[in-house]
């Protein structure tokens, strides 16, 4: 398995509190290049690299930027989504911690590309300890003329603002995020209007994940190493956050196409105590689950889709045999029951009833009708919820219906076997 | 030409204007997509999700209330996945809804009840999860029963978008989400002014008025009480809706018959009080103009507006006309001059007011509106309350014979009738003030159109006897706040401002039937102007019984006696909880 560090190239190479040290390793060269380019050409580079949004929604990033540019309303802004609320996802934290200036540079390039006046970083409350390094990076970039008025003599003005969340998972959802920045309760709203038309403070808004943005300066500098790796549909590299019952949990940069086995048993050092894998959840709490049968599939968008999985936020949560499937589902359900904003009926009420059904299964007090009803509501929620939270909250459960049908077996059968 | 869009719903073609939502497109085909949070007068919320429908090419269902039609769109409202989803959402709501339909004030006109009937939900398949939450009833007007709340957000929208008050909002998250006042405080301690608009838009029994109908029936059955009733101008144009008559039907005379059958001893008309209010208010306006007193003068007949001034602009209450509202001016005369004339002890008169309003319940309890510890108005019931009373006694309302109000306080003019519509008080006051200021010359056109209509703020200048009277007519408190801010900052040059808190005035009041919408309100406004047009007398000061009252009892408008009986004062009510600090 090849060791790759494309996005993580700068990690440990410079002092993240010193702009000089960043400039010494080539920092802001990409920005200098970007301001000589047309925004559409920058978006084309992203499209050529086939970058899909790394936050979890997997929206093509180049297309997002072109669409943002095409909106003719004034006062564009760029938002960096650093809410990173998906369970077992901590890659953005590593990027902010180890390469703060790269993110700032990326934000400025994004601002240039979509012709924005302001950039906002929305960072989850739990990362408050990272605020000083971001604020320092913004300050030093301002002092050097990379931010503020007439940036690099282009006559273009741009500022970056840092906002912290207050701990709600749902604020990672774009519309909830902007409401939170606006000082309102962080509850999603319906779309349209779409963010690109009317987002933060009703301004045209282009919102990207930390990892997606962080790729930009690297790609502008030299995209060749990125384009050379990956699979047919999934170009380049990806940060995976591996956690759970593995020996070496952490963030690893991999080339798309690396097998799941290589990630878990190679990079993450295998399962604690050499136990068996009960299940693996990919892409955070809203992701889907499978078991050891998928260990040898390549980690790529296309292979995952073929196996009814999603890359999502890039998390790999490994659960060993000590935890039962039903317990895992209960914990996941508790998470959504806590994190639903409560606005729309299917999500607010659906989560609590599915939680009740799971408890019945755990206690062996369910009826066959309960299973049918639960399956109905596991469909009603994604079909009709207002936002992505309700849409994806039952992903784990729905994949469990396929992968672990025995958990939901008919009571009559269970009793006959028992 | 507006751009038109062609789509199909359940295979049936329909052509709609660009921007039309699926819900409205379906209505054009006479398909009623179930909906709950949707309200025709409000911005789309799309939160209940019960209007989810299938659209070809979309993986998920789309909310019909929120989704604009596009050309070539194919919608299905009747597939299995749509039914399962809509019915599933209904079951989710029911599981969190206190089911005591039999004793619920909204039994019979509850949107949730209608949906359950439509979806034939016979047996719950989900664990009942609603939690008992204390009902809030510590004010005279409004009852909040959170356990019945379906979290549709209609009440919050009307409070914020129409009234600009924001006394209620959503708090909490997930299953803890609730509609609440700030920190769960009682309504009277919040910014709430008891306008009651939330009780009109609430689809269930979560926000309702405090019911006084049973108390009224007790009085009717009490042999020692002379129970008199007065009916506000806008009740007679709203009542018929509830009995299947077209919106805005004028049912004055059937209503009078019904009130007699309920057992009221005397059936009087608030319009008489309105004539009296106009007479005093016109005199007050002339006095303020002549003697350079506090200007501009604003009307004070709307109790939610008065509450609003006392709570939100306590430093500006001197602008309020001191003239009592038609309800209270009526009751004051009833318990004094009328009691004397009929030789009844005031304490034996039980004075009932039927109002399109729940803030009137609060007004009736104001200690300054009574004497010797006896309130002038003993009970206020809403149009909705009257509907209940009529249904209780089992009258076939539509086929009732017609009858007339009792005298003397049943006589009124067209000017009294239009009190129920935004602009009506202004128009009525102008008819009288103009004549008095010009020494008896009637207004060139009695129907003063610049103050009519549904616009939020209407302005006009009236030339009267060499004086230019600058007037403004405002409805909804959001608009009122806009005007008051101008007055407070001294940028306001008006002489006389009419304010009504509810959209359209009392015809759209917080005590009107729950089927009230802006469209219905406009029909009721038309009906009031029709009543005026068909009246023999159209100027308040021409009311013969009023003339008699002044001649025999009150001397003249604005006299000391009139001031004692027909005028009141206001209290600055500093906020107990100022959340802005």
């Amino acid at each position: 398995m090849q060791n790759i560090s494309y996005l993580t190239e700068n990690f440990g190479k410079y002092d993240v509190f010193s702009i000089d040290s960043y400039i010494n390793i080539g920092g802001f060269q990409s920005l200098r290049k970007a301001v000589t380019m047309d925004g559409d050409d920058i978006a084309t580079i992203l499209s050529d690299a086939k970058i899909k949004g790394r936050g979890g929604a997997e929206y093509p990033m180049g297309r997002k930027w072109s669409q943002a540019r095409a909106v003719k309303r004034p006062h564009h802004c760029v938002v960096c989504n650093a809410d990173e609320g998906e369970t077992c996802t901590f890659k953005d934290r590593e990027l902010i911690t180890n390469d703060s200036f790269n993110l700032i540079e990326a934000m400025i390039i994004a601002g240039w590309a979509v012709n924005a006046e302001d950039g906002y970083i929305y960072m989850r409350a739990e990362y408050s300890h990272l605020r000083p390094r971001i604020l320092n990076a913004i300050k030093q970039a301002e002092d050097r003329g990379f931010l503020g008025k007439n940036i690099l003599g282009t006559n273009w003005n741009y500022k970056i603002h840092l906002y912290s969340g207050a701990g709600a998972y749902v604020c990672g959802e774009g519309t909830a995020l902007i409401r939170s920045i606006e000082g309102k309760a962080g509850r999603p709203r319906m779309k349209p209007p779409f963010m690109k038309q009317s987002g933060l403070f009703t301004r045209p808004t282009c919102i990207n994940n930390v990892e997606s943005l962080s790729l930009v300066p690297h790609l502008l500098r030299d995209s060749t190493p990125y384009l050379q790796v990956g699979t047919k549909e999934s170009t380049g590299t990806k940060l995976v956050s591996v956690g759970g019952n593995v020996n070496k949990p952490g963030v690893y940069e991999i080339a798309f196409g690396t097998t799941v086995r290589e990630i878990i048993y190679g990079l993450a050092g295998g399962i604690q105590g050499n136990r068996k894998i009960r299940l693996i959840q990919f892409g955070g709490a809203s992701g889907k689950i499978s078991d050891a049968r998928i260990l040898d599939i390549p980690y790529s968008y296309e292979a995952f889709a073929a196996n009814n999985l999603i890359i999502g936020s890039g998390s790999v949560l490994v659960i060993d045999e000590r935890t039962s499937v039903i317990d895992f589902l209960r914990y996941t359900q508790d998470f959504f029951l806590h994190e639903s904003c409560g606005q729309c009926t299917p999500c607010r009420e659906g989560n609590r009833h599915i939680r009740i059904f799971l408890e019945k299964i755990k206690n062996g007090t369910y009826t066959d009708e309960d299973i049918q009803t639960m399956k109905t509501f596991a469909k009603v929620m994604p079909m009709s919820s207002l936002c992505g939270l309700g849409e994806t909250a039952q992903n784990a459960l729905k994949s469990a219906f396929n992968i672990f049908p025995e958990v939901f077996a008919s009571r009559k059968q269970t009793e006959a076997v028992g | 030409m507006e751009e038109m869009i062609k789509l199909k719903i359940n295979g049936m073609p329909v052509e709609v204007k660009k921007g039309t939502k699926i819900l409205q497109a379906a209505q054009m085909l006479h398909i009623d997509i179930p909906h709950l949070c949707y309200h025709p007068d409000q911005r789309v919320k799309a939160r209940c999700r019960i209007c989810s429908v299938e659209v070809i090419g979309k993986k998920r269902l789309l909310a019909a209330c929120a989704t604009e039609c596009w050309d070539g769109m194919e919608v299905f409202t009747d597939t299995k996945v749509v039914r399962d989803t809509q019915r599933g959402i209904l079951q989710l709501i029911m599981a969190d809804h206190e089911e005591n339909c039999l004793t619920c004030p909204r039994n019979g006109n509850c949107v949730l009840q209608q949906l359950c009937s439509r979806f034939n939900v016979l047996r719950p398949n989900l664990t009942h999860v609603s939690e008992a939450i204390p009902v809030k009833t510590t004010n005279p007007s409004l009852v909040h029963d959170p356990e019945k709340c379906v979290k549709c957000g209609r009440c919050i929208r009307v409070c914020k978008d129409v009234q600009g008050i924001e006394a209620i909002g959503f708090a909490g998250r997930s299953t803890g989400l609730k509609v609440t006042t700030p920190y769960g405080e009682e309504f009277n301690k919040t910014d709430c002014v008891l306008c009651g608009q939330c009780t009109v838009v609430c689809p269930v029994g979560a926000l309702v008025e405090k019911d006084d109908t049973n108390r009224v029936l007790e009085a009717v059955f009490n042999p020692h009480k002379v129970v008199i009733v007065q009916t506000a101008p806008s009740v007679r144009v709203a009542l018929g809706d509830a009995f299947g008559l077209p919106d805005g039907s004028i049912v004055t005379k059937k209503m009078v018959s019904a009130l007699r059958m309920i057992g009221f001893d005397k059936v009087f008309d608030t319009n008489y009080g309105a004539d009296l209010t106009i007479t005093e208010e016109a005199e007050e306006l002339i006095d303020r103009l002549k003697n350079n007193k506090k200007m501009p003068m604003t009307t004070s007949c709307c109790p939610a507006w008065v509450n609003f001034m006392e709570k939100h602009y306590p430093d500006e209450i001197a602008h309020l006309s001191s003239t009592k509202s038609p309800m209270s001016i009526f009751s004051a005369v009833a318990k004094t001059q009328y009691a004397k004339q009929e030789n009844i002890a005031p304490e034996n008169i039980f004075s009932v007011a039927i109002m399109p309003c729940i803030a009137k319940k609060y007004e009736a309890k104001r200690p300054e509106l009574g004497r010797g510890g006896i309130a002038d108005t003993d009970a206020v019931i809403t149009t909705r309350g009257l509907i209940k009373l009529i249904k209780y006694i089992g009258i076939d309302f539509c086929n009732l014979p017609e009858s007339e109000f009792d005298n003397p306080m049943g006589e009124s003019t067209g000017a009294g009738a239009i009190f129920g519509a935004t602009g009506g008080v202004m128009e009525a006051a102008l008819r009288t003030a103009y004549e008095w200021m010009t020494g008896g010359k009637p207004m060139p056109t009695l129907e003063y159109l610049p103050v009519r209509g549904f616009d939020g703020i209407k302005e006009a200048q009236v030339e009267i006897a060499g004086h230019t009277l600058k007037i403004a007519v405002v409805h909804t408190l959001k608009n009122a706040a806009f005007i008051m801010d101008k007055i407070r900052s001294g940028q306001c040059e008006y002489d006389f401002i009419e304010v009504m808190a509810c959209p359209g005035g009392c015809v759209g009041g917080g005590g009107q039937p729950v089927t009230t919408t802006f469209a219905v309100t406009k029909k009721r406004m038309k009906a009031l102007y029709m009543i005026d047009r068909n009246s023999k007398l159209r100027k308040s000061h021409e009311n013969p019984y009023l003339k008699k009252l002044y001649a025999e009892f009150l001397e003249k408008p604005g006299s000391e006696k009139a001031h004692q009986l027909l005028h009141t004062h206001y209290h600055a009510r500093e906020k107990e909880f100022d959340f802005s600090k």
Side-chain angles (χ1 to χ4, degrees):
Chain A
M1 183 185 50
Q2 69 185 112
N3 218 346
I4 194 155
S5 53
Y6 182 79
L7 180 56
T8 55
E9 188 191 352
N10 298 342
F11 281 27
K13 298 266 175 65
Y14 74 99
D15 172 6
V16 294
F17 285 95
S18 158
I19 196 166
D20 288 324
S21 119
Y22 180 62
I23 289 169
N24 282 340
I25 62 158
F28 291 106
Q29 288 303 326
S30 297
L31 174 61
R32 288 183 190 281
K33 186 175 170 189
V35 296
T36 66
M37 292 171 71
D38 184 72
D40 282 324
D41 296 332
I42 299 174
T44 304
I45 292 176
L46 306 182
S47 293
D48 290 345
K50 293 184 183 166
I51 304 176
K52 293 185 180 185
R54 301 291 203 239
E58 301 178 6
Y59 193 81
M61 190 179 181
R63 194 192 300 168
K64 187 181 266 184
W65 284 28
S66 314
Q67 288 173 338
R69 282 180 54 76
V71 174
K72 292 299 171 219
R73 295 181 59 218
H75 312 307
H76 278 251
C77 60
V78 169
V79 174
C80 169
N81 186 344
D83 197 52
E84 195 164 51
E86 281 297 352
T87 51
C88 192
T89 307
F90 36 94
K91 62 190 176 66
D92 295 344
R93 183 186 67 197
E94 294 306 300
L95 285 166
I96 297 167
T97 306
N98 296 302
D99 205 358
S100 324
F101 276 104
N102 181 63
L103 178 62
I104 297 301
E105 186 176 357
M107 287 283 289
I108 305 171
I109 296 171
W112 170 261
V114 305
N115 199 14
E117 293 171 8
D118 289 284
Y120 292 83
I121 300 172
Y122 183 82
M123 193 164 66
R124 68 181 305 193
E126 291 82 349
Y127 293 173
S128 294
H129 62 286
L130 298 176
R131 285 180 63 89
R133 64 184 70 200
I134 293 182
L135 291 171
N136 172 69
I138 294 172
K139 173 80 175 45
Q140 292 191 355
E142 281 171 353
D143 291 345
R144 294 302 176 88
F146 295 116
L147 273 173
K149 292 213 155 62
N150 190 21
I151 294 167
L152 297 176
T154 56
N155 221 4
W156 169 60
N157 308 331
Y158 182 69
K159 272 180 152 177
I160 294 180
H161 316 265
L162 175 63
Y163 279 78
S164 282
Y169 166 80
V170 76
C171 285
E173 197 275 347
T175 60
L177 185 155
I178 60 160
R179 281 188 167 187
S180 177
I181 294 180
E182 288 168 355
K184 299 170 185 162
R187 300 190 186 105
R189 64 155 167 80
M190 61 167 202
K191 289 186 270 193
F194 293 101
M195 301 286 261
K196 60 185 174 200
Q197 288 286 351
S198 178
L200 183 59
F201 302 116
T202 70
R203 297 159 64 173
T205 302
C206 181
I207 180 163
N208 291 109
N209 170 259
V210 172
E211 185 187 349
S212 314
L213 280 169
S214 295
L215 275 166
V216 176
H218 295 277
L219 288 169
L220 281 183
R221 195 174 303 128
D222 181 10
S223 61
T224 314
Y226 188 84
L227 298 175
Q228 277 170 350
V229 297
T231 65
K232 193 158 172 279
E233 296 296 323
S234 313
T235 307
T237 72
K238 171 88 188 84
L239 295 190
V240 290
S241 314
V242 190
N245 307 127
V246 290
N247 284 317
K248 287 183 355 198
V251 172
Y252 301 98
E253 182 169 12
I254 58 154
F256 278 113
T258 309
T259 66
V260 175
R261 187 184 297 279
E262 284 171 319
I263 295 170
I264 294 174
Y265 286 93
L267 295 168
I271 313 301
Q272 295 163 357
N274 284 323
R275 291 187 193 88
K276 282 184 190 160
I277 292 176
R278 174 78 69 196
L279 63 91
I280 313 164
Q281 184 176 38
F282 297 95
S286 66
K288 298 178 179 180
I289 63 174
S290 192
D291 58 8
R293 75 184 79 165
I294 51 84
L295 277 174
D296 292 309
I297 68 166
Y299 192 88
S300 68
Y301 289 109
E302 60 272 29
F304 267 45
N307 287 279
N308 190 29
L309 292 169
I310 45 175
I311 300 280
S313 68
S315 82
V316 181
L317 174 61
V318 185
I319 304 293
D320 74 24
E321 57 194 341
R322 287 173 296 177
T323 304
S324 68
V325 173
I326 190 68
D327 277 339
F328 174 79
L329 292 172
R330 284 164 66 235
Y331 303 146
T332 306
Q333 196 52 35
D334 280 341
F335 177 80
F336 284 108
L337 186 53
H338 180 64
E339 296 293 353
S340 166
C341 86
Q343 270 191 117
C344 77
T345 317
C347 183
R348 178 185 66 242
E349 304 298 336
N351 275 318
R352 87 160 123 194
H353 287 287
I354 295 218
R355 183 66 183 79
I356 292 170
F357 285 126
L358 291 173
E359 199 63 30
K360 283 186 178 177
I361 293 172
K362 163 85 176 169
N363 298 334
T365 55
Y366 64 98
T367 64
D368 287 359
E369 197 196 340
D370 285 337
I371 299 291
Q372 280 317 310
T373 311
M374 181 172 72
K375 285 187 171 174
T376 303
F377 283 101
K379 226 188 267 174
V380 167
M381 278 184 65
M383 268 296 179
S384 59
S385 289
L386 178 74
C387 83
L389 192 151
E391 183 185 350
T392 56
Q394 299 313 324
N395 273 348
L397 177 63
K398 285 198 299 179
S399 45
F401 290 149
N402 293 327
I403 306 288
F404 306 103
E406 66 280 5
V407 175
F408 314 96
S410 162
R411 287 272 279 164
K412 284 166 202 146
Q413 286 172 19
T414 323
E415 277 155 19
V417 172
Chain B
M1 249 311 262
E2 263 177 292
E3 198 181 330
M4 297 302 280
I5 283 188
K6 285 180 183 162
L7 71 152
K8 278 185 182 170
I9 301 178
N10 300 343
M12 291 180 280
V14 62
E15 200 172 340
V16 299
K17 282 181 199 160
K18 189 177 192 294
T20 305
K21 307 277 169 54
I22 298 173
L23 192 76
Q24 280 79 31
Q27 279 168 353
M28 293 170 70
L29 290 169
H30 309 289
I31 298 169
D32 179 34
I33 297 173
H35 50 84
L36 185 60
C37 70
Y38 168 81
H39 188 282
D41 300 333
Q42 298 187 353
R43 286 189 290 138
V44 167
K45 297 169 279 293
R47 53 165 50 238
C48 80
R49 315 305 289 180
I50 203 161
C51 66
S52 296
V53 293
E54 206 174 333
V55 176
I56 299 300
K58 293 286 169 187
K59 273 189 282 182
R60 304 177 61 204
L61 301 185
L62 300 181
C65 69
T67 310
E68 282 185 12
C69 302
W70 60 78
D71 212 41
M73 184 187 227
E74 278 190 77
V75 181
F76 288 93
T77 69
D78 57 0
T79 59
K80 176 168 166 50
V81 62
V82 171
R83 177 176 157 83
D84 283 353
T85 304
Q86 292 179 344
R87 200 165 184 266
I89 289 169
L90 186 59
Q91 288 167 329
L92 289 171
I93 294 170
M94 283 170 64
D96 188 36
H97 180 79
E98 182 192 24
E99 280 179 47
N100 58 357
C101 292
L102 296 182
T103 53
C104 176
R106 289 294 295 271
N107 186 10
N109 61 8
C110 166
V111 179
L112 187 61
Q113 217 175 34
Q114 286 155 5
L115 285 170
C116 288
S117 160
R118 175 169 170 180
F119 280 90
N120 198 23
V121 179
L122 300 177
R123 185 172 63 89
N125 57 355
L126 296 172
T127 311
H128 200 81
V129 291
S130 83
E131 289 164 31
I133 312 165
V135 178
K136 268 195 203 133
T137 56
T138 48
N139 68 81
S141 298
L142 197 56
V143 179
H144 185 204
D145 187 351
E147 204 181 338
K148 295 203 179 102
C149 177
V150 293
K151 286 95 175 170
C152 69
R154 287 183 184 186
C155 52
I156 293 171
R157 273 290 156 85
V158 80
C159 195
K160 181 183 178 188
D161 290 356
V162 175
Q163 301 297 43
I165 302 284
E166 293 186 77
I168 43 175
F170 280 116
R173 64 198 235 180
S174 191
T175 54
L177 184 91
K178 59 184 176 186
V179 173
T180 176
T181 54
Y183 303 101
E185 286 296 346
E186 300 295 345
F187 284 103
N188 46 3
K189 292 186 181 176
T190 70
D191 285 352
C192 175
V193 297
L194 305 173
C195 75
Q197 281 298 316
C198 54
T199 66
V200 179
V201 297
C202 180
V204 294
L207 278 160
V208 294
E209 85 249 37
K210 203 161 206 176
D211 186 275
D212 288 296
T213 54
N214 290 329
R215 202 157 62 82
V216 167
L217 282 180
E218 285 305 310
V220 165
F221 291 129
N222 184 339
H224 305 296
K225 292 278 183 191
V226 175
V227 185
I228 63 169
V229 64
Q230 56 165 317
T231 63
S234 56
V235 176
R236 68 204 65 185
V237 293
L239 190 59
D241 304 9
F243 298 97
L245 295 171
D247 295 333
S249 296
I250 301 168
V251 295
T252 320
K253 293 178 178 179
K254 289 186 191 300
M255 175 184 74
V256 172
S257 303
L259 289 167
R260 290 222 171 83
M261 292 175 80
I262 291 168
F264 291 104
D265 296 309
K266 292 286 176 189
V267 181
F268 292 135
D269 197 350
T270 309
N271 293 16
Y272 171 89
D275 280 337
L276 198 46
T277 295
I278 281 302
T279 311
E280 284 298 317
E281 208 162 284
E283 176 62 31
E284 186 184 348
L285 177 67
I286 293 166
D287 175 56
R288 286 199 191 207
L289 281 169
K290 265 190 197 158
N291 300 313
N292 288 324
K293 290 185 182 168
K294 187 86 173 174
M295 293 302 269
M297 183 174 93
T298 76
T299 56
S300 62
C301 41
C302 169
W305 158 240
V306 171
N307 288 346
F308 178 75
M309 283 294 276
E310 290 184 336
K311 276 187 162 183
H312 294 251
Y313 294 88
D315 49 324
E316 304 288 341
I317 52 174
H319 291 289
L320 286 167
S321 159
S322 64
T323 310
K324 286 179 185 173
S325 72
M327 174 185 91
S328 294
I329 218 165
F330 172 99
S331 295
V333 174
K335 289 215 172 165
T336 54
Q337 189 267 348
Y338 175 77
K340 203 167 149 191
Q341 180 191 311
E342 298 291 318
N343 205 13
I344 314 167
E347 60 269 30
N348 287 339
I349 293 181
F350 193 87
S351 174
V352 178
I354 297 172
M355 294 284 139
C357 182
I358 71 163
K360 284 285 176 199
K361 291 172 185 273
Y362 179 88
E363 180 185 319
K365 291 245 181 336
R366 284 179 180 263
E368 61 270 26
L369 298 176
R371 58 199 54 68
I374 304 170
D376 282 343
T377 309
D378 294 283
V380 174
I381 59 175
T382 61
T383 311
R384 301 190 290 258
L386 178 57
I387 293 166
K388 283 186 183 180
L389 285 180
I390 293 172
K391 286 188 173 166
Y392 155 69
I393 51 164
I395 320 170
D396 175 6
F397 185 79
C398 298
N399 290 311
L400 273 180
E402 303 196 328
S403 54
E404 304 287 339
F405 284 111
D406 288 309
N407 279 330
M409 293 195 284
E411 181 67 46
S412 66
T413 70
I418 58 175
F419 244 72
T422 173
V425 177
M426 178 61 73
E427 189 173 336
L430 284 177
R431 289 179 190 177
T432 293
Y434 190 96
E435 221 167 293
W436 287 352
M437 285 170 77
T438 55
K441 251 172 67 187
M443 265 183 89
T445 50
L446 215 49
E447 294 183 5
Y448 191 62
L449 300 181
V451 295
R452 294 191 179 185
F454 211 73
D455 291 345
I457 298 173
K458 289 163 284 189
E459 293 170 319
Q461 297 193 354
V462 194
E463 298 295 331
I464 312 179
H467 184 94
T468 306
L469 195 69
K470 290 177 185 149
I471 56 168
V473 170
V474 181
H475 64 129
T476 81
L477 294 173
K478 198 175 186 178
N479 291 325
F482 178 79
I483 291 282
M484 282 315 298
D485 287 341
K486 274 170 81 173
I487 292 179
R488 198 183 245 168
S489 60
Q491 315 163 27
C492 181
E493 292 185 349
Y494 303 117
D495 297 307
F496 187 26
I497 303 172
E498 177 212 288
V499 182
M500 298 193 192
C502 290
C506 315
V507 277
Q512 294 283 39
V514 290
T515 46
T516 302
T517 60
F518 292 169
V520 172
T521 299
K522 286 173 188 166
K523 289 182 185 164
R524 293 180 190 151
M525 285 170 80
K526 264 193 186 152
L528 286 184
Y529 289 119
M530 185 68 78
I531 292 175
D532 171 44
R533 186 168 289 176
N534 293 336
S535 299
K536 277 186 210 115
L537 299 173
R538 298 181 71 183
K539 287 173 266 183
S540 292
H541 59 277
E542 289 180 347
N543 185 327
Y545 287 97
L546 221 69
K547 287 182 182 167
K548 202 164 169 252
L549 178 74
Y550 277 111
E552 293 175 2
F553 193 63
L554 294 171
E555 295 162 12
K556 62 180 176 58
S559 72
E560 206 185 314
K561 258 191 168 169
H563 259 274
Q564 264 178 12
L565 191 65
L566 309 181
H567 289 251
T568 182
H569 57 276
Y570 308 100
H571 313 272
R573 283 149 73 189
E574 294 298 338
K575 290 180 186 178
E576 291 187 50
F577 293 89
D578 189 349
F579 299 105
S580 65
K581 281 179 189 159

